[in-house]
Each structure stands twice: as C-alpha cells, then as structure tokens.
Amino acid sequence: MTANDPNVNEAKVKPTSSISRIWIIPILVIVIGGWMVYYQWKNQGPLITIELHSAAGIEINKTPIKVRDLDVGQVKKITLKPDLDGVLVTARIDASAAHLLNENAKFWVVAPRISFSEVSGLNTLLSGSYIAMSANDKGKEQLHFTALERPPVTPPGTPGLHVMLKSDDEFAYKPGDPIIYKGFKVGEFEEVHFDVEQGRITYRAFIHAPYHNLIDENTRFWNVSGVKLQLASNGLTIQTGSLETLLANGVTFGNPQGDTKGKPIDN
C-alpha cells in the first residue's frame, strides 16, 4: 500500500471544541443562582433590634414579625443585653414594610394570656408566639425599639376618647379592666401609674365610639365591682354590676342627678 493508492481515503482533521457542551448546564445554574442571591441581597429589608425582658417563646429563624397578622419579618438573632437586664432580638424586616420603621412603631410579644379581664393569644398555642408590630408611615426613621410589656389594650386608630382618671381610693384597677355603662362594656383601662409624692393613682382609660359622646366635663366615674348589700326594714336590696365586674374590677360613669350636661371634652 502506497500513498498514491486510490483505495486509501485521506483523513480530515478538525479541531475539537475547547468547552464541552456538558458544562453549559452547570454554568447556567451558577449564573441563575448568582443572580437570585444578588436580587435577594439588593431587595432585602433592614435589620432592627428590639429590647425584650426575656426570650420566652422566641426562636431564631422561626418567630415572625407581624402587622395585622401579615408576616413582615423574622427573628434572626437573640443576645443578652450588656447589663443582663433583658435580651436584644435582631430581626430582618421585609423591604415592603421598611417605611413603617419609625418613632411611632410599637412592638410586643403575642402569647397566650388568660385572666379575669382578658383572654387573648390563644391562637398561638399551636402556631407559637410571635412579635406583633403597629405603626404608621409617618415619623422619624428608627431601627432600635423597646417592646411593650404587654399588648396594647386598644389597637391604634380605634375611634373613641382617651381620658385620664385620678383616684385616692385604695381599690386599684389594672389594664384591661372594663368600663361599663348601663350593663354594656364601653371601654377599658389601658395604663396605671402611681404618683408616690401625691399618693394618688392615675389611670389612662379609653372609651369606644359612639359611647365617648356620653362623656362631658360634668361626668363622674365610680366603682361597680363586686356586690352591694343593703338591709332595711322593707327587705334586702342587692346591687351588682355585670357578670364581668363580678369576676374582675370595673367602673361606670354618668352625670349626677339634676346636673346639666356639660361641654364635650377632648382627649
């Protein structure tokens, strides 16, 4: 066999591809994954810190931050405060809710609470505790907050009237105790403060609309808790408030007989 043999075909040499097609899929996956990481990093919301008395019921990467039962963030870290007076919770807030992080924002832990005047948070028995948030989109930006010790009695924005009540009586009320008018619950106590210098208790209370129109400058409040017994020659008289005031403290209000209706009052 010689080079000039007509039965011999000449070999055709072609250069091989520098990149095998099998690498296309891994490279595509890396590009898409990198874009997703970048997109998430660019669009993630800010980190905030919340001071709490304890971390009971709070779990990292599990406990959510909610506004009106909508998840807007999640707890990412829990550490002790430097003075050991509580814990610092670090949470990531969604970018869509970042505009709510201002000086008007309030945070509190929602957990089961059962008392004579309050039953709340029972839905967390199965789902677990969460951190609730209430705010509006007005105010100076803020990223560090101190959580409330208990949920606010009256949700922000509720129509009605805030009043301050002062009492020298030793009989004290607590947040959540009802305000009754003719058997109907029309409000509740929100805060209690004891003035040491004056020896007087000051209460912050809220009257729901439209019952707040019953309050004027001549209105008086008095205790309707428990049972009042009066024995006279014509028999025994028993006076009680509602069933709720039998189990817990409560007050009612009205104008003294013969007193004219006074001017309406503001908060």
Side-chain angles (χ1 to χ4, degrees):
M1 183 180 296
T2 64
N4 296 326
D5 190 344
N7 296 322
V8 177
N9 295 326
E10 185 178 356
K12 295 180 179 180
V13 180
K14 294 181 179 181
T16 60
S17 178
S18 59
I19 300 178
S20 176
R21 294 181 179 179
I22 197 173
W23 289 101
I24 295 179
I25 295 179
I27 293 175
L28 188 61
V29 170
I30 293 175
V31 172
I32 295 176
W35 178 83
M36 293 178 64
V37 171
Y38 171 77
Y39 179 83
Q40 183 177 6
W41 170 80
K42 185 179 179 180
N43 292 277
Q44 67 180 356
L47 285 172
I48 65 170
T49 54
I50 306 172
E51 295 186 19
L52 296 171
H53 287 291
S54 71
I58 308 300
E59 299 183 39
I60 298 175
N61 293 325
K62 186 176 180 180
T63 301
I65 311 292
K66 294 187 177 185
V67 175
R68 296 183 179 273
D69 290 330
L70 176 66
D71 290 2
V72 296
Q74 190 178 69
V75 172
K76 296 298 182 182
K77 184 179 179 181
I78 303 176
T79 58
L80 284 172
K81 293 177 61 177
D83 56 3
L84 304 180
D85 192 28
V87 297
L88 283 176
V89 174
T90 302
R92 174 76 68 181
I93 301 298
D94 296 344
S96 60
H99 64 287
L100 300 177
L101 299 174
N102 53 55
E103 57 189 355
N104 296 318
K106 304 295 182 183
F107 293 84
W108 64 91
V109 177
V110 177
R113 298 175 183 270
I114 301 177
S115 65
F116 285 129
S117 60
E118 177 185 17
V119 177
S120 63
L122 297 183
N123 58 321
T124 61
L125 290 174
L126 299 178
S127 62
S129 302
Y130 64 90
I131 299 177
M133 171 185 174
S134 69
N136 55 48
D137 56 358
K138 297 180 180 178
K140 185 179 179 180
E141 182 181 3
Q142 185 173 321
L143 298 178
H144 183 84
F145 305 90
T146 301
L148 302 176
E149 295 184 6
R150 53 173 291 125
V153 177
T154 306
T158 303
L161 177 71
H162 287 279
V163 295
M164 296 294 293
L165 306 177
K166 296 182 179 181
S167 174
D168 297 325
D169 199 343
E170 296 180 357
F171 194 80
Y173 305 93
K174 59 184 181 299
D177 283 347
I179 297 177
I180 308 296
Y181 185 78
K182 295 186 176 181
F184 292 95
K185 179 180 178 180
V186 299
E188 58 275 315
F189 288 93
E190 293 183 319
E191 297 178 7
V192 181
H193 175 70
F194 180 71
D195 190 334
V196 178
E197 296 182 356
Q198 298 184 6
R200 172 178 291 184
I201 302 176
T202 301
Y203 300 97
R204 176 184 171 92
F206 183 78
I207 310 296
H208 294 275
Y211 305 103
H212 69 292
N213 294 320
L214 300 171
I215 309 296
D216 59 54
E217 59 183 4
N218 295 329
T219 300
R220 299 293 181 267
F221 291 77
W222 63 90
N223 176 38
V224 289
S225 305
V227 180
K228 180 180 180 181
L229 301 178
Q230 184 177 3
L231 181 61
S233 58
N234 58 350
L236 179 65
T237 302
I238 302 177
Q239 296 181 357
T240 66
S242 64
L243 178 60
E244 189 172 9
T245 58
L246 289 177
L247 301 177
N249 300 329
V251 301
T252 188
F253 61 87
N255 287 16
Q257 291 184 357
D259 197 353
T260 59
K261 184 174 179 61
K263 297 180 181 179
I265 62 173
D266 296 326
N267 285 334

